[in-house]
Amino acid sequence: MSSLVLAHTRYQLLEQIRVPLGLVASAFFPAASMLAFVVPFAGDDPAGATRATGSMMLIGAMSAALMGLSISVAQDREQPWNPYLRTLPAGPFPRFAGRILTTMAVMLVAAVPVLVIAALLTKASVTAPRLALGMAALLAGSLPFMLIGLFLGFLLPSKAAIGVSQVVFFPIAIVGGLFMPPQVMPEFLQALSPYAPSRGAAELVWSAATGATPGTTGIVMLVVWTVAAALAAAWAYRRDEGRRFS
């Protein structure tokens, strides 16, 4: 089974390299946001720059997980060989695991430009152990967004997935406090923020990078969102499976 997972991962990584648009998009937007907002407005504040760097990294990871995964899964469903792949005795796990591992690799690559900008142009500071912990928190916090991406990918055609994933992505990122510190958001957004999955993911990353104590509500809601997204993704997969073989 592990060899099948590695085979699917290798194939999907090669596809990412051959058509790197998704990788470029996931890396460009947070890097551009770093240059436009973090460097001029928070670059001289070590704590603020470190926290903002974590937010920008999470934006890139969310983009790869939610938008990239939903679009790629929806496009795969439209390929003529997809029904054949579903009949193979290995089952769906190797393909799913390969796609998740590929998405995680894209997340890590997308974080590199952000880290380089933070190191060269801001006073953000983090130790090597905290950086490693932050990258682990980034991957863990992105789990619900990968599951939401799978849900949209199994539910929608590829053209619809492109638009819907963008509509879902930006409000979640804004409410979670990724584009601006939660304390400066309007009061109604401050009240909603702890219940957004992006806020819980951000709390994980901020805590790992700075040592701050994460908010309890945000972490609990991150778990709730992960479970709900897993159930939704499983339902969408079974629905798509039933429609194809009915």
Side-chain angles (χ1 to χ4, degrees):
M1 183 65 72
S2 61
S3 61
L4 290 174
V5 172
L6 291 176
H8 280 281
T9 304
R10 183 168 58 251
Y11 165 74
Q12 290 164 14
L13 284 173
L14 288 174
E15 286 295 304
Q16 284 286 342
I17 295 171
R18 289 170 184 160
V19 187
L21 182 61
L23 178 59
V24 172
S26 296
F28 173 78
F29 183 66
S33 298
M34 278 287 293
L35 291 172
F37 302 110
V38 178
V39 172
F41 298 111
D44 293 331
D45 177 10
T50 303
R51 186 182 174 104
T53 299
S55 297
M56 294 301 107
M57 290 168 55
L58 185 56
I59 287 173
M62 283 177 56
S63 173
L66 208 163
M67 293 192 286
L69 198 54
S70 64
I71 295 168
S72 61
V73 169
Q75 289 174 337
D76 279 353
R77 288 171 51 234
E78 297 170 355
Q79 300 299 325
W81 61 80
N82 186 62
Y84 168 71
L85 289 175
R86 293 192 176 198
T87 65
L88 297 178
F93 176 76
R95 284 191 298 142
F96 289 165
R99 190 162 297 285
I100 293 297
L101 291 174
T102 302
T103 302
M104 287 182 171
V106 172
M107 292 177 189
L108 296 177
V109 172
V112 172
V114 174
L115 290 172
V116 170
I117 292 170
L120 297 179
L121 301 179
T122 77
K123 293 185 178 179
S125 177
V126 65
T127 63
R130 286 214 169 272
L131 177 60
L133 189 61
M135 300 304 285
L138 183 73
L139 296 178
S142 298
L143 181 57
F145 306 107
M146 288 189 279
L147 293 169
I148 293 172
L150 289 174
F151 167 69
L152 295 177
F154 286 126
L155 189 67
L156 301 171
S158 58
K159 291 183 179 179
I162 294 172
V164 172
S165 62
Q166 291 177 352
V167 169
V168 172
F169 169 79
F170 284 103
I172 289 178
I174 292 170
V175 174
L178 302 185
F179 288 105
M180 65 179 71
Q183 61 268 22
V184 304
M185 295 192 300
E187 289 187 4
F188 77 97
L189 287 182
Q190 291 187 38
L192 289 176
S193 183
Y195 301 96
S198 51
R199 178 62 179 273
E203 293 281 355
L204 276 182
V205 175
W206 295 337
S207 174
T210 67
T213 302
T216 303
T217 302
I219 300 302
V220 170
M221 291 307 302
L222 181 64
V223 175
V224 171
W225 275 98
T226 301
V227 173
L231 293 174
W235 171 83
Y237 175 78
R238 289 195 299 267
R239 175 181 177 273
D240 184 60
E241 193 86 353
R243 291 179 63 182
R244 290 183 179 273
F245 292 98
S246 60

